[in-house]
Amino acid sequence: MDLYHSWIYVNILNAPWFIWCIVIFILSFNILSPIIIWIVINGKTLPFTKKKQSNKSKEDKNSATN
């Protein structure tokens, strides 16, 4: 099969917008991954998980007092 002359390769996979999407994704992953790893190693909670844990602890305290 001649992949390099197929419609999918010419119009989608080799299109500038698709290549730039891949480049931006890889660059953002390379920038954000050390930050996320640092947060996980240091034991700090992520902002979107903090609310779930605080709600569970409040429910546990309420059920213990009842």
Side-chain angles (χ1 to χ4, degrees), residues 45-58:
T45 59
L46 296 173
F48 55 86
T49 59
K50 184 182 273 188
K51 292 180 181 179
K52 291 180 183 177
Q53 291 175 352
S54 65
N55 287 341
K56 286 183 181 179
S57 64
K58 287 180 184 177

Side-chain angles (χ1 to χ4, degrees), residues 7-43:
W7 183 88
I8 292 173
Y9 182 82
V10 171
N11 293 321
I12 296 176
L13 297 177
N14 201 25
W17 62 267
F18 186 74
I19 303 297
W20 277 110
C21 287
I22 292 173
V23 168
I24 291 170
F25 175 76
I26 291 172
L27 285 175
S28 61
F29 178 75
N30 284 330
I31 291 170
L32 293 177
S33 61
I35 297 169
I36 293 171
I37 291 171
W38 181 78
I39 290 171
V40 170
I41 288 174
N42 285 330

